Structures are given as C-alpha cells and as structure tokens.
Amino acid sequence: MSSLFELANQALETPDFRREILASAFGEFTPEQEQRYLSRLHDNDRMLHHCLNHFGNINFSLSHYLAVTIQQYRIVEKIKNALFPKNPDAISMLDFACGYGRLQRLMSIKIDPELLWVSEINDTALAYVVKTFGVNGLDSCADPDRFSTTEKFDVIWVASLFSHLPRHLFNAWLERLASLLKPTGVLCFSVHDEKLLPSTTIMPDSGFYYIEQSEDANLDVSIYGTTYVSESFVAGAITALDDSAFGYHCIPKGLANEQDLYIVARHRLRDLSPLKNIRHGAWGFVDKVYFEPDGEFYLYGWAASIDDGVVDHVEIMIGDDVHCCPANLLRSDVVEVLKDPRLLNSGWEIRLRLAPAEHHFAAVTVVSKRGERSLVYAGFITEGRFSI
C-alpha cells in the first residue's frame, strides 16, 4: 500500500492535478495562490490511506479524497461568508482535530495563516500542519478539561470528530469548545444523524448510539469509535450548555453530503438565518472507468444535487477536450442509498474515442442547474490501465 501512496503523491504533484484542484476549489486562482499550494500529502495521512485500502486504485482514492476536501473547504467558506459578510477572510479560526491538514491545505491559501489555529491529539500531525502551512498550533488531549488556551475564536471548525465520540466526551468537548468562542463566534461540528444507522439497528430513546469501532485502529475505542445521534439529542446537549445563551442551526448532510453540520452560536440572539440560504451544490460519483475491447474509453456514474435533485450535466475533460453528458439514466440504487426519490434518473455514461497518447489526464465535474461545479473524478489514464 505504501507504493500506491507514493504513486498517489506523484500524481498530486503534477501540473494537471494541481491546476484541477485549485480551479475546483477557488474557481479562478492567482499565480501566488498556485505557488503557495502544497500538493504532497504526509506519508501518514490516514484519510488517503483509508481511501486506498477501500478502493485499491489511485484515481478512485484521490478522487474521493479530493472531492471531500474541496467540499469541506467550500462549506466553511459559505458559512464564513454568510455569518461574517463584511470581511470573511479576516476572522480568527480554529480547525480542531485537524488531522494532517486536509482543510488547511486550501484554507491557508485563502486566509492569512496568522489568523488560523489548528489542534490535534496526534503530535506528529500537529507539528506537520504547523510547519507546512505556517499556522498556529495547539496541543490537544483526550481530556477536554486539560485542553488549555487563552485564545478566543470567531469560528471553530470540527469535522468528523463528534461523529466518533462517546457520550461523556461528546458533551464535554461541546462545552469546552463553546467556551472558546468570541461573543459573535460560532462552533461548527459534524455528526452522523440517526438516519445513517443500519436499518436493523434501533436508536435508543436517548438519541445517542455509540459503537466501539472506527476506521482508525490507532485510537482507543473507549474515546474514539463511531457515533450516531438524533437532532433532539444534539439540541439537548446545546441547551445544556446554557439554556439562555446558545442558538444553533443544522445543515443536513452539510459535510461531504453525508454528515449533518451543526452551527452553534455563542449568543442566542446571533442571527443564523443567512445559513438557511446555503446550498450543497452538485455531487456525484464515477462508478466505472475502463477501456472497451475496441479501444473506446468508457465512464459511468451518477450525478445529483441535494438542493434540486437533478443536475444540468456532467462535464468530462480529457486533456484540452471537454465533453458534456446529460444525467438521465435509471439509478434506483442511488435512490435506495441516499433515500431520495428525486435521484431515480441521476445516472450517466459516455464513450469516447481518445487520440493516441502516452497517457491522458481525465477530470469529471458535475454541474448543477445554477452552474455550481463539483469535481468527482480526476486522474491519469492509459489504454488498458486506470492511472499512473
């Protein structure tokens, strides 16, 4: 698997990948931003390792890793712009449980790193993120009472941590992090909603279900497993902080179109109504990528919008050539998984005759009816193979 990881890093460092990632994240980008973008991942980045273990293929693994990375960056940007419209890039932000800097790889290009803080229980990961992206670091720990800082923040971002905490730590970290907000600050954290529970599992009356199992075998399951919650449980936990002080807003499937996002305001009178206008944008997946026996290049997948259901089209870029494809094929499996009947005809497929070349760079982007774009696949292809 280490050889696959190194090949993935080699792909990320190519000009094609770099330009596609920056264009997908920022739209237009400056030469300075391109120069500041650091594409190589740390060898221990467990999220990419997890993707490689799951897919066993470089392109599919990188595509999923990058799609979630870009979506996370975009939703943070939307929250910042909605709640701090006067100067969204001048706020102080803490990326708590930052891992190996998945978000900071993009955020530190947009915001002055002096305004960015990161915290991580993994000392190696924390040191890497601080050194690589020039941000401020805070040592984390398993006990919220021992997490110490005098800093206060406009935004505290916590992606996919509360979705892994046992009940006592869920409440304790909620309280500790909320205490670090500025008067107009917000805490944003993601959870697995109860709707994601297997159909054979019944949610307890408490609205909290914890499994001593996770994708990270290095963490003690007594403090890090897999957690599912109801909105009533989360609302109760927020109310328990101070019934008269905190307000919240929930964005269903706000993180990676899977986990629900809760935005908690330090003061109940903080206007969170602009968050109601936040859109998820386009989303999708490429299920099949291969060459037909006659040499035609074939792609098959689905494309949709949580906001609108159907999308406008799928855009397939092969080198400098761009091909558009409608998404109107029957995909009952997508409906079954996402529990959304609007997505019944969300499938698409395309066959292309490629010009002879040593290899091609391919990128697939889903385009919503409002022109919102989401990268769902990227990689190098060679006839008979998927990636470099």
Side-chain angles (χ1 to χ4, degrees), residues 117 138 147-153 176 179-182:
W117 293 74
L138 292 171
F147 182 64
S148 178
T149 178
T150 58
E151 294 292 327
K152 300 290 184 181
F153 304 97
R176 183 70 187 102
S179 72
L180 302 179
L181 293 172
K182 292 181 179 180

Side-chain angles (χ1 to χ4, degrees), residues 47 57 61 85 136 151 168 217-218 225 231 251 256 271 274 296 300 309-310 315 325 332 362 383:
M47 299 312 298
N57 172 277
S61 299
N136 305 285
E151 294 292 327
H168 69 287
N218 296 319
E231 182 169 355
I251 303 176
D271 183 14
E296 278 193 321
Y300 170 80
V310 297
E315 198 171 275
C325 174
S332 57
E383 187 163 350

Side-chain angles (χ1 to χ4, degrees), residues 31-228:
E32 180 187 6
Q33 288 175 324
E34 184 174 12
Q35 185 176 14
R36 289 175 61 190
Y37 174 64
L38 302 171
S39 51
R40 187 176 183 84
L41 304 183
H42 191 280
D43 290 343
N44 294 334
D45 192 310
R46 65 181 179 87
M47 299 312 298
L48 181 56
H49 278 291
H50 177 68
C51 291
L52 288 168
N53 285 326
H54 178 74
F55 292 107
N57 172 277
I58 294 171
N59 285 356
F60 283 112
S61 299
L62 284 178
S63 298
H64 181 73
Y65 181 95
L66 294 170
V68 174
T69 299
I70 293 169
Q71 192 277 338
Q72 181 181 168
Y73 167 75
R74 284 180 171 177
I75 195 66
V76 175
E77 284 292 288
K78 290 175 182 178
I79 291 170
K80 284 169 49 222
N81 292 336
L83 298 182
F84 301 91
K86 291 184 178 179
N87 203 344
D89 294 333
I91 64 170
S92 61
M93 179 178 172
L94 169 62
D95 182 4
F96 189 77
C98 66
Y100 282 91
R102 190 172 193 165
L103 175 62
Q104 296 310 313
R105 196 169 298 278
L106 297 173
M107 190 60 68
S108 62
I109 296 176
K110 186 71 181 301
I111 291 183
D112 182 352
E114 287 295 319
L115 297 174
L116 296 172
W117 293 74
V118 295
S119 186
E120 173 58 45
I121 198 170
N122 182 324
D123 294 339
T124 301
L126 180 63
Y128 166 78
V129 176
V130 170
K131 180 179 179 180
T132 302
F133 305 112
V135 296
N136 305 285
L138 292 171
D139 290 320
S140 189
C141 52
D143 183 0
D145 291 334
R146 292 177 50 232
F147 182 64
S148 178
T149 178
T150 58
E151 294 292 327
K152 300 290 184 181
F153 304 97
D154 294 300
V155 173
I156 299 177
W157 175 258
V158 195
S160 201
L161 173 65
F162 283 84
S163 51
H164 295 281
L165 294 177
R167 185 165 181 172
H168 69 287
L169 287 179
F170 189 107
N171 292 85
W173 275 118
L174 183 61
E175 180 177 6
R176 183 70 187 102
L177 294 173
S179 72
L180 302 179
L181 293 172
K182 292 181 179 180
T184 59
V186 293
L187 166 64
C188 311
F189 64 93
S190 69
V191 302
H192 293 129
D193 184 73
E194 61 181 328
K195 296 185 184 69
L196 298 178
L197 272 171
S199 58
T200 55
T201 303
I202 299 175
M203 173 64 79
D205 292 339
S206 65
F208 191 96
Y209 188 84
Y210 181 73
I211 304 171
E212 290 188 344
Q213 181 180 345
S214 78
E215 77 281 356
D216 193 338
N218 296 319
L219 292 175
D220 186 344
V221 293
S222 67
I223 64 170
Y224 191 92
T226 303
T227 304
Y228 298 87

